[in-house]
Amino acid sequence: MFIAGEFTGSERQRTTVTSPAAGEPVDTVPEATVADVDAAVDAAGGAFDAWRNTRASRRGELLHRGARRVLAHREELARLLTAEHGKTLREAGLEIHRFVTTLEHYAGLARELRGSHVPGLDHNTYGLIVRRPLGVVAAIVAWNFPTLLLANKVAPAIVAGNTVVAKPAPTTPLTTLRIAELLHEGGVPAGVLNVVCGGAEVGEALVRHPAVRKVAFTGTTATGERVAAAAAAGAKRVALELSGSDPFIVCEDADLDAAASAASVGRFFNAGQSCLAVKRVYCAEEALDTFLQRLLDRVRKLTVGPPTMGGTVLGPLHTEALRDRLERQLADGLESGGELLVGGERPQHAELAGGWYFDATVVSRPAHDSRLATEEVLGPVLPVWAVASLDEAMARANASPFGLGSSIWTRDLDAATYAAGRLEAGYTWINCPPRLYEQLPFGGIGASGFGKEHGHEALDQYTDSKSVVVRHRPPRAAPAS
Ligand code: NAD
């Protein structure tokens, strides 16, 4: 663990981090006790006053220096991330790069923190709306993008003057710990970012800690509901970034080649284990054959292999349990009438036998009430359905309880505008692959949660507004000349 600028934690009570590529131990980390959680929150609480009173531009500068230090260690961090997560070295490198750009984005916004002035409230009276940091923030994140999810919370939180206790997923603590150390070496003061390791119990102790003022959570909908319930005691703020099942609508007039490319990248990036991903394709009946042919041409070329091997596109799934669940969801989709178009199996190469690999898979027309349609599918399996009209596509897209991302491909501006207004999701991409931009707020609705990351909105989420009313003497009349 990393508390008050130092590594700490029990030598005896430790958790083993296992490589998803080989099923072998990578390292061990200490399991936090309740006393460790208290120590981390105390460290963050102790650092808060000095940090909030540090000039905002200086906070930005220190964050920027920390980000540069992380960038200088990009290769080392990418290898560590690949070892603990299983994502390919290329994707791990991209993630570390994105970590850095997110920190730099918010470091730049440090000079943009501001409130507002409301004139003429009353005679000789004006109002100020000042924004203030919240205090200690608990940042609890999932395993699928360990560093990116951390950046989305830590960067706006600390630039706004808060201090943080982060809890990575129990299977991916290593990169987070090293990053906390590098940020500290780069100048982020002791106690501003602390890291505790452990699972649900540690997370819950953090959420329940009375000195925590906000819980920023990324994970499943089921856990998010528990976190929100626990945070209700003490009336803590909560932001929930939860599961998703993003629809991807392809109209008859779409650029089918570009749509197929976006569907392939959007589904199979990170071995299909992204929250925002192409998870349900609804394609116009007339375009289906051509779209599928172009999609399958691409999917057949996706190389499954060890994540450290050049040329690998699909590494292993993160855990055996995830692969088991994926196989059950796929079996359900096939039993419901779905047709397997490609994949559907564990790869047979002997060198992959120790890891949790699964082939890139496309299934045509499973039942609309099958698990592939109704649940979040977190792995390399893409279901595709034909639809008779845009209205049917929209109805099917919106039938899910989730509302994270959504896409539509069409050359018809009216259809795109109609869809963007009605798709129940926090993001809609029109004719472009799903991708997040630091400038645009991101977050779900419905079972995908609430609260925004990215954009100026994220800074608002880590500050509170306070109204100040000022009455002054009437202005004196100008002296007669
Ligand atoms: P999870 O809910 O099992 O765990 C998430 C984190 O919460 C982990 O750190 C875990 O240890 C901790 N935790 C578990 N129980 C807790 C409790 N009772 N109190 C406090 N903390 C607790 O989720 P996961 O399997 O790690 O993550 C995968 C999920 O995350 C997927 O559904 C994915 O879509 C979602 N996700 C969402 C986004 C988004 O931005 N919406 C981004 C990435 C991942």
Side-chain angles (χ1 to χ4, degrees), residues 141-144 167 204 217-220 223 241-243 275 376:
V141 302
W143 51 267
N144 60 348
K167 194 201 81 59
E204 197 150 340
F217 173 83
T218 299
T220 57
T223 311
E241 302 290 347
L242 308 178
S243 315
C275 51
E376 176 179 55

Side-chain angles (χ1 to χ4, degrees), residues 17 52 55 82 103 116 133 161 334 354 374 379 390 427 435 458 473:
V17 177
R52 77 185 302 192
R55 272 182 297 119
T82 292
L103 257 61
S116 52
L334 296 178
T374 58
L390 179 56
Y427 237 107
R435 146 156 211 217
R473 287 197 204 153

Side-chain angles (χ1 to χ4, degrees), residues 64-372:
H64 176 76
R65 276 172 36 186
R68 291 277 111 188
R69 190 145 178 83
V70 169
L71 187 62
H73 290 260
R74 176 176 170 180
E75 209 167 299
E76 170 207 336
L77 289 165
R79 289 200 171 275
L80 196 55
L81 185 54
T82 292
E84 66 177 340
H85 180 279
K87 64 181 67 196
T88 64
L89 264 182
R90 181 183 157 271
E91 291 178 344
L94 288 174
E95 186 177 331
I96 301 299
H97 186 260
R98 195 70 198 265
F99 176 91
V100 171
T101 57
T102 303
L103 257 61
E104 291 190 332
H105 179 78
Y106 282 99
L109 287 181
R111 290 170 189 270
E112 304 285 324
L113 290 164
R114 61 195 54 180
S116 52
H117 167 235
V118 184
L121 282 180
D122 223 329
H123 286 305
N124 306 319
T125 306
Y126 63 88
L128 295 174
I129 303 171
V130 296
R131 297 209 70 95
R132 308 188 309 164
L134 305 171
V136 178
V137 172
I140 300 177
V141 302
W143 51 267
N144 60 348
F145 292 94
T147 70
L148 192 53
L149 303 176
L150 182 76
N152 290 347
K153 294 166 176 53
V154 165
I158 71 178
V159 148
N162 303 280
T163 53
V164 176
V165 179
K167 194 201 81 59
T171 49
T172 53
L174 302 175
T175 325
T176 304
L177 288 166
R178 179 73 176 119
I179 278 179
E181 182 185 28
L182 289 168
L183 292 180
H184 180 52
E185 287 170 6
V188 174
V192 171
L193 172 60
N194 309 275
V195 180
V196 290
C197 305
E201 277 178 27
V202 176
E204 197 150 340
L206 194 52
V207 173
R208 291 191 184 281
H209 197 292
V212 166
R213 295 315 316 147
K214 166 164 178 163
V215 181
F217 173 83
T218 299
T220 57
T221 301
T223 311
E225 288 171 359
R226 280 200 292 281
V227 165
K236 292 167 189 169
R237 285 184 178 220
V238 190
L240 302 176
E241 302 290 347
L242 308 178
S243 315
S245 181
D246 300 356
F248 184 94
I249 296 174
V250 184
C251 297
E252 188 188 351
D253 67 347
D255 176 341
L256 296 179
D257 207 34
S261 164
S264 175
V265 175
R267 172 68 281 193
F268 298 106
F269 187 79
N270 207 30
Q273 304 166 108
S274 307
C275 51
L276 272 173
V278 177
K279 291 181 181 161
R280 296 176 287 142
V281 172
Y282 298 106
C283 180
E285 186 86 62
E286 303 82 352
L288 186 67
D289 287 348
T290 314
F291 173 76
L292 276 178
Q293 184 208 325
R294 294 186 186 179
L295 176 67
L296 295 178
D297 281 351
R298 289 168 190 281
V299 174
R300 288 195 184 98
K301 291 185 193 133
L302 301 177
T303 311
V304 182
T308 47
M309 188 180 81
T312 295
V313 179
L314 246 74
L317 273 83
H318 182 55
T319 63
E320 190 170 21
L322 275 162
R323 185 173 66 177
D324 288 349
R325 176 180 148 95
L326 183 73
E327 287 176 336
R328 288 196 298 274
Q329 289 173 318
L330 175 61
D332 179 75
L334 296 178
E335 274 161 31
S336 78
E339 184 192 350
L340 187 65
L341 300 181
V342 65
E345 293 188 331
R346 302 175 183 190
Q348 300 304 317
H349 317 288
E351 91 226 40
L352 303 182
W356 324 125
Y357 295 89
F358 201 77
D359 281 337
T361 300
V362 179
V363 181
S364 166
R365 308 186 200 218
H368 286 294
D369 62 355
S370 68
R371 294 181 65 183
L372 290 181

